Amino acid sequence: MVSKLSTNSTLSPSYGSHPTIITDVQISLSPTNSDTTCTLFLHYELPPLLFVDPYELELRGAEYQVLETRGRGKKELERPVHALPVNEGDDDEEVGVEVVIQRTLPAETTAPARVELPIHVRYGEPVASSTSKPYTVQEFSGPTVVLTCSDELLSCDRTTTLPQLLLDTIPTSFRGSSLCVALQSPDQSLAISAPLGNTVDLPTVELGTTAVVLACFAWVAWEAWRAGARLRGGASSKVKSN
Amino acid sequence: MTASSLPSFTFRNVLISSALLRVGLILYSEWHDARSLVKYTDVDYRVFTDAAAFISTPGAGDENQAAGPLQGFFGFKFGFGSPYTRETYRYTPLLALLLTPNAWLHPSFGKYVFAACDLLNGWLIYRMLLTEIIPEAEQSPGESSSSGSGAGKRRKLNPYLEERRERMATIYSAVHLLNPLVFSISTRGSSESVLSLFVLATLYAAMNENWDWAGVLLGLSTHWKIYPVVYGVSLLGVITATSYSSTERAKMGRIATLVNPKTIRFGIVSASTFVLLGASCYAIWGYPFLYESYLYHVHRLDHRHNFSPYFYLTYLIYPSSSPSTAEVVPLTWWNELIRSPLTSFVPQMGLALGTGLAFGRTKRDLVFAWFVQTVVFVVFNKVCTSQYFLWYLLLLPLLLPELSMSWRRAFSCIVVWAATQGLWLSEAYKLEFLGENVYFSLWVRGLIYVMGNCWVLVQIMKAYRATR
């Protein structure tokens, strides 16, 4: 069977804390066979600034199954990027979480298959900036897509070296000559813009927070004392009148 | 047309309407969530449900096992898994145990439990209004009923007065039962109504001068979430006021009004309940229970944006896991002081405990004391989300009969309370969904939130039992 596989990924939106990686996978099989079943495997390699909520992905069970999630920050969903654990032996600090998902395709697929992976953005490490509104632009690649079919696939790329996690995750029954691989084109890399805190604000924030909190503390304490005195005064009047 | 002229405006009908509303919303949530990626159900409910599943289905070997020293009792093995296998589950294991039927009975079981707690809360509010608060409020502002009156000593009332009290109690309890914030939070699967039930039950026991029960319920409330511990301070003065005659109290010094045989007994009952619950949970679930339920909250750093202005400071000084090799400039004593946890802890706990001591002197003032304590605890906390507002909104219907303020002032309070939130939310939307760098302006709005809420609190304190 001759097959062609191509992929195109976009980030929607390319700003905000909760974008989605939308991957359209174009598959063309010739000739088609109604008995043929195909499965897509997508491997995402996210930078530390981005993460997935595995429990959120479980809710998309009707669309795809998450086979594996691992890497820096897999469990630390609530930390900023500069507070992620650094494990000994981590050579590549640019890689955060890796995700592998599986999606079964209907027989005789001709329409593009769309896979949506919701991701979330951590708070980035604050910087000192004179512009007062610093941002970071994080670039990353779309997923590596692997197509496997029950019939042998020909004429498709299977020379690309697959990420180890993907190799470990794809069931052995799917491997071999029935694999096709597609990668996002390098000039179509994804990018997200994320705001950063400005350490130049720190003295103002320290002073302002402390001043307002202490002032409000004093104000509420004073008014509480007055209210207490009024209530006690009222009680004393009643005792005297009795 | 007034509420009194509505033919069916009884508490029974308000309760039935509230129940039907909640059942309807829960059924809607099931329909909606099955069809939309944007869920009606709160993320927290999924956390509770996952934790409940983990607790009832332990894994093989060391995977998902309760980590405490007590795994069985007289040969009977408990066979619990650990709810803390679920990331971000930071509550008592009793909540996960409560929701285990989510897995084998119905996924919405927990929501029905939370909604039922809502209704019980409404009933408790109604009963306290009818039997204690409204009768007290009908006296002159400076008066208070004599101590030791307790429940059951009711004068025979004329029917008009009885009807008026029932109508007022119904209206005020409807403020809670029909509050959109209340019924949306419980039907979305937040567990706040369970803690609210424990808090209101504690208050109900206190109002009926059942101090042993109040101690047990306060211990249970504090086990569930730590903040109710501050209510203990205000209860001490009230226990003394209701347990000793005015002659005996006149001979007591200030210390003795807080520390005497009655208050010591209350403290022992309350502390014993808390320790017993904690020890039982530790025995089964071990250190993960202790850490996730309590210790985590001591050291937590909430750097993500929330109503509290502390978020930006926390974010800017959040410790890095790989500190820079650049030269570190030592902090001045001023920086050390500002960044010290005490700088936030002292105002918060100083006010929470101080107002408890100041206002917890008579049973009549107990609701007011708890309301003020809760507001200051929330406003001065280092993190604040919308769910925290429920902690004091719960007590507002009980406080309303004792507030004397003009409609203009009342309207101003509502506008300021809502507007400070709206001001913050409009900016937070830009950060979270538009990715705009608005950290500084969001921090400023956090300061406005603190000041605005303090202003509202001051108005309420001035209006409490003010001379009409």
Side-chain angles (χ1 to χ4, degrees):
Chain A
M1 180 161 55
V2 175
S3 61
K4 290 183 182 174
L5 179 70
S6 63
T7 177
N8 182 53
S9 294
T10 55
L11 191 65
S12 177
S14 59
Y15 49 82
S17 300
H18 312 289
T20 301
I21 300 175
I22 300 174
T23 302
D24 290 314
V25 182
Q26 186 67 50
I27 306 162
S28 55
L29 303 173
S30 175
T32 57
N33 183 339
S34 61
D35 294 332
T36 301
T37 57
C38 295
T39 305
L40 278 178
F41 294 90
L42 290 88
H43 172 261
Y44 299 82
E45 204 170 82
L46 302 176
L49 187 65
L50 308 176
F51 66 98
V52 294
D53 181 348
Y55 299 99
E56 178 186 21
L57 297 185
E58 278 180 11
L59 297 178
R60 292 181 174 247
E63 295 175 44
Y64 50 74
Q65 293 76 49
V66 178
L67 298 183
E68 183 65 52
T69 314
R70 77 170 189 195
R72 261 181 94 203
K74 171 193 165 184
K75 293 196 171 190
E76 294 80 9
L77 304 182
E78 297 164 328
R79 291 196 195 175
V81 68
H82 53 292
L84 290 179
V86 178
N87 300 321
E88 284 185 17
D90 264 354
D91 296 326
D92 191 355
E93 290 191 354
E94 298 304 314
V95 177
V97 173
E98 293 178 74
V99 185
V100 177
I101 63 178
Q102 172 185 336
R103 176 165 168 173
T104 304
L105 299 175
E108 300 186 305
T109 294
T110 54
R114 171 164 285 196
V115 178
E116 297 183 0
L117 184 80
I119 59 173
H120 306 280
V121 184
R122 299 183 189 277
Y123 273 36
E125 185 167 12
V127 297
S129 171
S130 57
T131 64
S132 81
K133 289 184 186 292
Y135 288 83
T136 184
V137 177
Q138 176 72 64
E139 292 189 347
F140 60 105
S141 301
T144 301
V145 178
V146 170
L147 173 71
T148 73
C149 291
S150 52
D151 285 351
E152 186 173 316
L153 299 170
L154 302 172
S155 302
C156 71
D157 172 31
R158 53 178 76 91
T159 59
T160 303
T161 304
L162 294 179
Q164 188 60 45
L165 181 62
L166 194 53
L167 281 174
D168 294 340
T169 311
I170 294 178
T172 50
S173 58
F174 287 100
R175 300 182 197 173
S177 61
S178 65
L179 287 182
C180 276
V181 182
L183 294 174
Q184 176 92 349
S185 170
D187 60 359
Q188 289 182 322
S189 67
L190 308 174
I192 185 153
S193 166
L196 298 177
N198 193 345
T199 53
V200 168
D201 294 334
L202 186 54
T204 307
V205 171
E206 279 183 324
L207 188 63
T209 304
T210 306
V212 168
V213 166
L214 290 180
C216 287
F217 162 73
W219 178 29
V220 172
W222 166 246
E223 292 292 346
W225 183 85
R226 287 180 63 192
R230 174 170 57 80
L231 292 173
R232 286 192 298 275
S236 300
S237 301
K238 177 178 183 280
V239 170
K240 284 178 186 171
S241 66
N242 284 346
Chain B
M1 175 177 283
T2 63
S4 57
S5 65
L6 290 170
S8 57
F9 189 71
T10 63
F11 177 72
R12 182 171 173 271
N13 289 341
V14 168
L15 199 63
I16 291 172
S17 304
S18 303
L20 291 174
L21 175 65
R22 283 159 174 80
V23 170
L25 283 172
I26 292 171
L27 292 173
Y28 168 74
S29 73
E30 294 170 7
W31 180 89
H32 175 100
D33 289 355
R35 289 160 179 76
S36 171
L37 282 175
V38 180
K39 306 296 180 190
Y40 178 88
T41 302
D42 192 71
V43 171
D44 279 348
Y45 190 71
R46 295 206 298 271
V47 174
F48 303 151
T49 302
D50 291 341
F54 282 126
I55 211 174
S56 56
T57 52
D62 291 334
E63 188 181 323
N64 183 29
Q65 292 286 348
L70 186 66
Q71 294 303 315
F73 193 71
F74 287 110
F76 173 75
K77 197 172 185 307
F78 294 136
F80 288 125
S82 173
Y84 306 106
T85 306
R86 183 29 164 119
E87 286 94 2
T88 70
Y89 182 81
R90 297 199 172 96
Y91 311 92
T92 168
L94 301 183
L95 174 60
L97 271 178
L98 179 66
L99 298 185
T100 46
N102 276 15
W104 53 265
L105 185 61
H106 193 282
S108 294
F109 169 81
K111 292 183 184 178
Y112 286 105
V113 170
F114 301 154
C117 289
D118 259 357
L119 300 176
L120 277 171
N121 294 339
W123 179 82
L124 282 170
I125 289 172
Y126 174 78
R127 289 299 305 169
M128 284 189 278
L129 283 165
L130 190 63
T131 59
E132 296 285 341
I133 295 170
I134 293 175
E136 287 274 17
E138 286 169 346
Q139 301 176 40
S140 70
E143 289 183 354
S144 181
S145 62
S146 56
S147 62
S149 59
K153 292 189 180 180
R154 309 267 168 254
R155 295 198 312 274
K156 200 163 169 54
L157 297 172
N158 69 61
Y160 170 75
L161 195 57
E162 193 82 47
E163 187 193 332
R164 181 179 175 279
R165 287 182 181 177
E166 283 179 6
R167 190 168 63 245
M168 297 309 297
T170 301
I171 291 173
Y172 289 130
S173 55
V175 168
H176 175 79
L177 285 166
L178 300 178
N179 184 338
L181 191 65
V182 172
F183 63 67
S184 64
I185 278 185
S186 62
T187 57
R188 289 187 67 211
S190 170
S191 67
E192 292 295 337
S193 61
V194 179
L195 176 63
S196 299
L197 177 61
F198 297 151
V199 168
L200 284 176
T202 308
L203 185 62
Y204 186 78
M207 290 213 157
N208 286 282
E209 298 171 31
N210 291 326
W211 297 116
D212 286 343
W213 270 113
V216 168
L217 289 162
L218 183 65
L220 173 60
S221 302
T222 307
H223 167 82
W224 211 265
K225 230 169 217 166
I226 285 286
Y227 88 85
V229 70
V230 303
Y231 298 148
V233 165
S234 50
L235 284 170
L236 298 179
V238 177
I239 291 170
T240 304
T242 56
S243 303
Y244 297 93
S245 66
S246 53
T247 312
E248 288 170 317
R249 278 182 284 131
K251 297 175 186 171
M252 290 178 173
R254 184 68 180 125
I255 301 293
T257 59
L258 299 175
V259 183
N260 54 65
K262 296 287 186 183
T263 59
I264 290 172
R265 177 187 171 114
F266 171 79
I268 290 173
V269 168
S270 185
S272 299
T273 305
F274 176 76
V275 169
L276 191 64
L277 287 169
S280 303
C281 290
Y282 180 83
I284 299 174
W285 289 284
Y287 182 75
F289 151 70
L290 208 58
Y291 178 78
E292 301 288 358
S293 297
Y294 302 124
L295 298 179
Y296 165 81
H297 298 284
V298 173
H299 300 295
R300 61 187 290 178
L301 294 174
D302 292 277
H303 69 286
R304 296 191 73 96
H305 51 285
N306 61 88
F307 287 111
S308 171
Y310 283 106
F311 92 88
Y312 194 27
L313 178 60
T314 304
Y315 172 35
L316 291 177
I317 63 174
Y318 203 104
S320 172
S321 54
S322 46
S324 164
T325 52
E327 186 183 343
V328 176
V329 177
L331 296 174
T332 63
W333 69 269
W334 169 250
N335 292 131
E336 297 268 10
L337 181 66
I338 288 182
R339 297 184 191 187
S340 162
L342 289 177
T343 307
S344 59
F345 184 76
V346 168
Q348 181 189 28
M349 291 311 290
L351 280 176
L353 298 178
T355 52
L357 289 171
F359 299 133
R361 289 169 185 254
T362 68
K363 198 168 63 168
R364 181 178 181 181
D365 294 331
L366 198 54
V367 172
F368 176 63
W370 283 24
F371 180 83
V372 173
Q373 288 182 283
T374 315
V375 171
V376 296
F377 190 93
V378 170
V379 170
F380 288 89
N381 203 36
K382 292 187 87 169
V383 61
C384 179
T385 61
S386 297
Q387 283 176 318
Y388 290 36
F389 302 152
L390 273 185
W391 299 355
Y392 58 74
L393 287 179
L394 172 74
L395 300 169
L396 188 61
L398 296 167
L399 188 63
L400 288 174
E402 296 273 29
L403 296 182
S404 295
M405 62 168 70
S406 65
W407 283 109
R408 180 182 292 183
R409 182 59 57 94
F411 182 73
S412 300
C413 287
I414 294 170
V415 167
V416 168
W417 184 79
T420 53
Q421 290 175 58
L423 199 66
W424 187 90
L425 287 167
S426 61
E427 201 73 350
Y429 175 84
K430 292 179 189 175
L431 172 63
E432 183 139 2
F433 296 102
L434 303 182
E436 294 182 21
N437 191 324
V438 293
Y439 289 118
F440 190 84
S441 61
L442 199 54
W443 167 74
V444 170
R445 293 173 191 225
L447 297 178
I448 294 172
Y449 153 81
V450 171
M451 292 187 283
N453 277 258
C454 287
W455 181 85
V456 173
L457 178 61
V458 166
Q459 305 314 306
I460 290 175
M461 287 197 288
K462 287 179 176 177
Y464 178 69
R465 288 172 58 190
T467 308
R468 292 184 176 86

